[in-house]
């Protein structure tokens, strides 16, 4: 059985000082709880500026579970004259995963499924695993067929559930289960995650479905509520 991925997506939150404080708090909070560390891997997706200090801090501490790093986005271009962009090759070795096509990227930065496809090619060429975020099957680029099921992760994120502050309803797990079953049947046996207002209260219910992990936004910003989610996995 694959390990569940519990991805913390910090979005545009936390400067480097706040990021390392979060890590200290996570370690403090996990001291008094038993974590089923064989069953999950944590992936922290901080803003780029926090990656290096967090990784350095992580290597100096005794962390309570397996922690990997991811980025929240990547340039659709290779290295070169693309002001403000960070290329996949630049992140090689610094992150293991990268979110692509998040609904907020599509909404606020006009990201298209075509661009998501380009990012996937560049990431895989740099040995970074893309986590494709999609609300519908149509938002998943066709070029995933060029790769094996193990090279890509897919996240179902109904936009209506993103950042609504945990107003998760019981019937939502039915929709999640149905969608993921449909995608699995049509696309193949990828690792499918779910994202959208996951919190310590609803995560156990969500784990009754066949999803193999979460992307946690808001509830990941506070180390103690993130720790509660880990405890429930
Ligand atoms: P949220 O974010 O948990 O705040 O809804 C989830 C996501 O961005 O995928």
């Amino acid at each position: 059985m694959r390990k569940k991925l519990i991805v913390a997506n910090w979005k545009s939150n936390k400067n480097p000082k706040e990021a390392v404080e979060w890590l200290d708090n996570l370690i403090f909070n996990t001291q008094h709880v038993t974590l089923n560390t064989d069953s999950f891997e944590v992936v922290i997706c901080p803003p780029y500026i926090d990656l290096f200090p967090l990784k350095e801090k992580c290597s100096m501490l005794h962390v309570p579970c397996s922690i990997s790093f991811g980025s929240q986005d990547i340039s659709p271009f290779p290295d070169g004259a693309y002001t403000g962009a960070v290329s996949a090759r630049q992140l090689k070795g610094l992150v293991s995963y990268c979110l692509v096509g998040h609904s907020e990227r599509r909404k606020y930065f006009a990201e298209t499924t075509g661009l998501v496809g380009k990012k996937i090619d560049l990431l895989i060429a740099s040995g970074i695993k893309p986590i494709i975020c999609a609300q519908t099957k149509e938002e998943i680029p066709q070029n995933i067929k060029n790769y094996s099921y193990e090279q890509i992760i897919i996240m179902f994120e109904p936009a209506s559930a993103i950042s609504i502050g945990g107003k998760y309803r019981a019937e939502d797990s039915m929709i999640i289960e149905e969608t993921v079953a449909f995608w699995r049947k049509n696309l193949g046996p990828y690792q499918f995650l779910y994202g959208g207002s996951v919190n310590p209260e609803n995560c156990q219910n969500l784990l009754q479905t066949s999803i193999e992990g979460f992307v946690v936004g808001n509830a990941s910003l506070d180390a103690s509520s993130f720790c509660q989610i880990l405890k429930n996995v």
Side-chain angles (χ1 to χ4, degrees):
M1 219 167 84
R2 283 190 283 231
K3 280 191 173 191
K4 295 196 165 57
L5 273 197
I6 312 299
V7 182
N9 177 15
W10 287 357
K11 311 187 181 186
S12 294
N13 293 290
K14 299 193 191 297
N15 62 27
K17 182 170 171 285
E18 291 160 344
V20 292
E21 279 168 5
W22 181 93
L23 195 58
D24 280 335
N25 284 335
L26 184 74
I27 290 169
F28 176 77
N29 277 282
T30 50
Q31 273 167 2
H32 308 291
V33 295
T34 311
L35 298 179
N36 189 5
T37 50
D38 290 340
S39 69
F40 67 86
E41 174 185 348
V42 168
V43 181
I44 305 175
C45 296
Y48 292 128
I49 48 160
D50 298 339
L51 270 173
F52 197 73
L54 267 179
K55 278 201 85 163
E56 204 173 48
K57 179 90 176 180
C58 226
S59 67
M60 289 170 357
L61 296 171
H62 180 70
V63 290
C65 54
S66 159
I67 296 185
S68 306
F69 289 90
S71 75
Q72 299 173 15
D73 188 35
I74 199 71
S75 172
F77 300 106
D79 291 6
Y82 304 101
T83 301
V86 175
S87 75
R89 197 202 62 85
Q90 286 176 294
L91 279 183
K92 190 178 174 150
L94 207 54
V95 299
S96 313
Y97 300 91
C98 177
L99 298 171
V100 284
H102 192 282
S103 58
E104 288 153 11
R105 299 288 321 166
R106 296 182 198 251
K107 181 174 170 191
Y108 299 116
F109 300 91
E111 186 150 313
T112 61
T113 300
L115 276 188
V116 175
K118 286 185 185 161
K119 293 179 182 196
I120 290 169
D121 288 338
L122 290 162
L123 286 167
I124 292 181
S126 286
I128 300 170
K129 217 180 219 193
I131 301 176
I132 305 170
C133 312
Q135 300 181 64
T136 62
K137 195 164 82 56
E138 290 63 43
E139 285 189 349
I140 301 170
Q142 293 290 323
N143 64 336
I144 62 166
K145 295 195 187 107
N146 301 337
Y147 304 104
S148 74
Y149 300 129
E150 287 72 36
Q151 286 176 293
I152 284 169
I153 295 172
I154 299 177
M155 191 254 274
F156 172 49
E157 54 153 0
S160 57
I162 298 281
S163 295
I164 57 169
K167 293 196 195 73
Y168 169 85
R169 292 163 297 141
E171 63 267 34
D172 293 345
S173 64
M174 292 285 291
I175 300 169
I176 296 164
E177 186 58 46
E178 275 167 25
T179 306
V180 169
F182 177 70
W183 288 7
R184 195 175 278 125
K185 190 161 166 262
N186 282 271
L187 300 168
Y190 294 95
Q191 180 161 14
F192 288 99
L193 313 183
Y194 166 76
S197 292
V198 175
N199 63 31
E201 286 75 48
N202 61 27
C203 65
Q204 260 173 330
N205 209 0
L206 288 164
L207 284 170
Q208 305 304 313
T209 69
S210 63
I211 57 164
E212 295 176 275
F214 305 128
V215 175
V216 189
N218 208 33
S220 73
L221 296 175
D222 176 51
S224 73
S225 74
F226 192 62
C227 173
Q228 283 300 316
I229 292 174
L230 300 184
K231 200 180 122 203
N232 289 340
V233 178

